Amino acid sequence: MRPLLKAIILGNTTRLSIGYDAKRYFLNRTGLGNYSRDLVRMMQQYYPEHKYLLYTPKLPKEIPANLDINQVRLPQGFFNRSLKDFWRSKTIAKDLQQEGIQLFHGLSGEIPHGLAEKGIKTVVSIHDLIFLRYPELYKSIDRYIYDKKSSYAVQHADQIIAISEQTKRDIMSFYEVPADKITVIYQGCHPAFKQSFSPAAQQALRQKYHLPERFLLNVGSIEPRKNALQIVKAIEKMDIPLLIIGKGGAYAEQIRSYVQDKGMENRVFILQGFTMEELACIYSMASIFIYPSKFEGFGIPIIEALYAGTPVITTNSGVFPEAGGPFSYYIDPENTEQLSYAIDSILCNSSMRAEMIAQGRLYAQRFNDENIARQLMACYEKLV
């Protein structure tokens, strides 16, 4: 029996059986993991009548407290458990068919082979094609793997979800995919960033981590493309601390070396390890959120800042005006003087800062959960 004929009719609504590639859902704590968890959470919240299954090659040591384990599917049998990557890309098709999955959503730029032959519709989310736009930032083997997976996904998926208009343009340009096969559906963000934090809660967090009274904030992986060193250079002559929150390797060490050379150890702090609620509270405490990245598929930290009520300074090209809206402050990310001027302008102009906060929160509503869930369900229903 074809999977569609297995659907259970609930009034006028067809109960869908939807499978997700949940590897990053469980095993990635940042970007792709946050996207996966937020998307599944939104769909379950606004469309609970449907069946959602999470396919993952393995589970983390610490399983999320709110997880319904009955939704999780792991590789079965000695062969699949021994070759988890092969299961995820090939033999999973048989498991999906046996489970009655009608639609499979690849949440991180890839889909399994052979789903069309099983009568299973496919959706793939493409976050960015930075490995093609800036190949020098990646090892050749990584570029090859990313390109192979992305190319197969965009050519074989029934529908592509791009997380921004910028990403849609890149998919059309690099892979020659027609526009009507691509739907732009923005990312949401964790509910923690949408709540208010009392002065008492902020002060408690400030004391717990010995945070300064006022500070500038940058959040994200610490790597050359994110450009955090430019912020450090821009505030050399300013009397305001900077918190850089994220994981980093060689580039983070480069920043630390620069900070030490300039005697800025008491003004620049590189931190990590916060819970999502703590991070959201830190956003709400920041005077300005600064994101001078050279290129992103979207830039979810900008959305987090807008929801948290923090003025944003970010890059004046690419996806950033799309994410930040008309009331963020845009700069050339390579121009430290321009960045210094932007910081000083916002800090010294209370009415300007108040307008950026109010209008930023309004703009962020286009990224709210209900809108995104509705667009996703429309995409699913169109296929099945």
Side-chain angles (χ1 to χ4, degrees), residues 17 31 43 46 80 82 89 106 109 113 134 157 163 184-185 193 198 213 215 236 242-243 270 285 308 330 376 384:
S17 292
M43 299 310 294
Y46 290 98
N80 287 333
S82 301
S89 63
H113 291 243
Y134 295 100
I163 64 167
V184 174
I185 301 178
F193 297 93
S198 68
E213 283 296 320
F215 55 86
E236 277 185 41
L242 167 66
L243 304 188
I270 298 177
M285 296 159 61
Y330 298 98
L376 284 165
V384 298

Side-chain angles (χ1 to χ4, degrees), residues 160-181:
I160 301 165
I161 290 174
I163 64 167
S164 67
E165 293 290 345
Q166 175 66 56
T167 296
K168 178 177 180 177
R169 290 192 295 269
D170 283 351
I171 296 169
M172 294 168 63
S173 173
F174 286 109
Y175 290 126
E176 299 182 353
V177 175
D180 60 3
K181 190 178 178 180

Side-chain angles (χ1 to χ4, degrees), residues 213-279:
E213 283 296 320
R214 65 172 195 149
F215 55 86
L216 308 175
L217 179 65
N218 172 262
V219 176
S221 55
I222 306 173
E223 57 183 278
R225 175 171 57 87
K226 303 286 189 176
N227 222 17
L229 181 56
Q230 291 297 94
I231 313 174
V232 179
K233 293 178 178 179
I235 66 165
E236 277 185 41
K237 298 179 181 179
M238 291 186 177
D239 185 22
I240 185 168
L242 167 66
L243 304 188
I244 301 173
I245 298 179
K247 291 184 178 181
Y251 186 64
E253 291 306 313
Q254 182 183 348
I255 294 174
R256 288 189 179 97
S257 178
Y258 187 93
V259 167
Q260 188 173 16
D261 289 344
K262 298 296 182 178
M264 301 172 69
E265 296 96 326
N266 294 327
R267 290 195 288 130
V268 178
F269 308 94
I270 298 177
L271 307 170
Q272 61 175 298
F274 299 102
T275 68
M276 197 66 75
E277 286 71 23
E278 289 174 335
L279 182 60

Side-chain angles (χ1 to χ4, degrees), residues 125-156:
S125 290
I126 301 293
H127 298 261
D128 62 67
L129 297 179
I130 298 174
F131 60 90
L132 295 177
R133 183 176 279 275
Y134 295 100
E136 69 277 7
L137 299 177
Y138 296 82
K139 297 178 181 178
S140 57
I141 184 61
D142 291 336
R143 291 199 310 268
Y144 172 78
I145 293 172
Y146 297 156
D147 184 40
K148 186 175 181 180
K149 290 180 176 181
S150 296
S151 177
Y152 179 85
V154 299
Q155 298 299 334
H156 291 83

